[in-house]
Amino acid sequence: MGETYRQIPVTGFEKQNGSVKILGFGRDTKWYESMDDLLDAIDWDLMESWHTVDGVDGKNSSPLPDNALSFIDTIKERINRNIKDNKKSLEKLAASFKIFDKTTVKELIELTIVEIAREIANDKALSAKQQYDKIVKLYESQVNLSHRTSQSILLQQYSTPAPIGFLAGTFCGVQKFEATKQIGFEPSAGNGLLTIAANPNYFFVNEIDRTRNLHLQTQGYRVVTKTDATE
């Protein structure tokens, strides 16, 4: 009745018989007939002003612990210095930061690749071909740490190679979303590899895996949710 509500932060989506609504702290939206109807109903200019007033501007304070952030910074430095690592050396390095779980190590390294690849993909001084070539070189320097766990098998997790993520995003025009004020939606985002060509502030992303969802929260996406994309 004339009142306005802020839906920041959003906690998720709820679907029922094809209809969908946004779940928020304290209050939800009304039900919409489809996701398209819901997105069309959002006042993006007003939301942008809320972000500016709140000092958010699409950038999240990192929820990762200090040792994880330090590990990521060290990996970036080693990549920039062309230091050749292998699975054993990276796990030993992670242990020096008190990170012992192999899946955590793998996911943090993938997050590092995402962050570096996004920097390359958004470097306006480079042509698209130069961006692609640099991302291929980055991918070729990436150590294969993949190992399957019961969780990754259950969730059917397969990471997109960074060059493929760049090409797929560029083909879809995600790099133009900022200029055209469009919003993308990635329903099964992983660590964000399919969005590296975009400004993350112009993407809604969803990921059910706890670790990967946490990593998405560090990247400045407009909205990060954790719902089952198969429902």
Side-chain angles (χ1 to χ4, degrees):
M1 303 295 292
E3 293 179 290
T4 59
Y5 297 86
R6 296 192 179 193
Q7 285 291 331
I8 301 173
V10 172
T11 62
F13 292 98
E14 184 175 337
K15 296 180 181 179
Q16 190 176 90
N17 299 324
S19 298
V20 61
K21 69 176 179 178
I22 294 176
L23 305 177
F25 285 114
R27 184 179 185 272
D28 304 334
T29 67
K30 69 176 186 179
W31 286 99
Y32 291 87
E33 292 185 0
S34 68
M35 180 64 75
D36 286 341
D37 287 342
L38 186 153
L39 294 175
D40 287 342
I42 295 174
D43 187 332
W44 295 110
D45 290 335
L46 181 59
M47 183 177 286
E48 194 70 33
S49 71
W50 284 349
H51 278 252
T52 302
V53 169
D54 292 341
V56 177
D57 197 25
K59 298 183 176 120
N60 301 321
S61 58
S62 178
L64 294 179
D66 290 342
N67 62 330
L69 295 173
S70 296
F71 177 63
I72 289 172
D73 288 341
T74 301
I75 294 297
K76 287 182 178 180
E77 180 184 356
R78 293 172 77 85
I79 290 174
N80 289 335
R81 291 166 57 191
N82 292 316
I83 295 176
K84 302 300 180 183
D85 280 302
N86 55 42
K87 186 174 185 289
K88 184 176 180 180
S89 68
L90 287 174
E91 289 177 350
K92 182 178 180 180
L93 177 65
S96 73
F97 289 94
K98 301 188 184 305
I99 303 171
F100 303 105
D101 181 75
K102 291 182 179 181
T103 299
T104 300
V105 174
K106 170 179 141 343
E107 297 293 341
L108 285 172
I109 290 173
E110 183 170 299
L111 174 59
T112 306
I113 297 298
V114 169
E115 291 182 356
I116 297 174
R118 180 173 285 118
E119 289 177 7
I120 296 170
N122 287 275
D123 186 346
K124 306 305 182 185
L126 301 175
S127 67
K129 178 63 164 59
Q130 290 171 325
Q131 291 169 342
Y132 173 73
D133 288 342
K134 290 192 72 171
I135 291 173
V136 168
K137 184 178 179 181
L138 171 66
Y139 175 71
E140 290 174 344
S141 72
Q142 184 179 357
V143 176
N144 184 1
L145 292 173
S146 77
H147 60 281
R148 303 285 275 161
T149 66
S150 58
Q151 175 79 350
S152 64
I153 293 170
L154 175 65
L155 298 180
Q156 290 294 295
Q157 292 175 333
Y158 297 95
S159 296
T160 305
I164 301 301
F166 173 77
L167 289 178
T170 301
F171 178 79
C172 293
V174 300
Q175 72 278 16
K176 301 176 183 177
F177 283 3
E178 181 174 5
T180 58
K181 302 302 181 186
Q182 292 177 276
I183 304 296
F185 177 51
E186 220 310 22
S188 183
N191 281 309
L193 277 160
L194 280 171
T195 70
I196 58 176
N199 178 335
N201 192 33
Y202 291 85
F203 253 94
F204 280 28
V205 291
N206 178 70
E207 174 56 47
I208 195 171
D209 178 77
R210 185 188 67 82
T211 297
R212 292 182 170 190
N213 186 279
L214 191 69
H215 290 179
L216 294 173
Q217 294 176 44
T218 72
Q219 296 179 54
Y221 290 106
R222 186 171 292 240
V223 173
V224 179
T225 59
K226 187 181 179 184
T227 60
D228 189 341
T230 66
E231 294 182 352

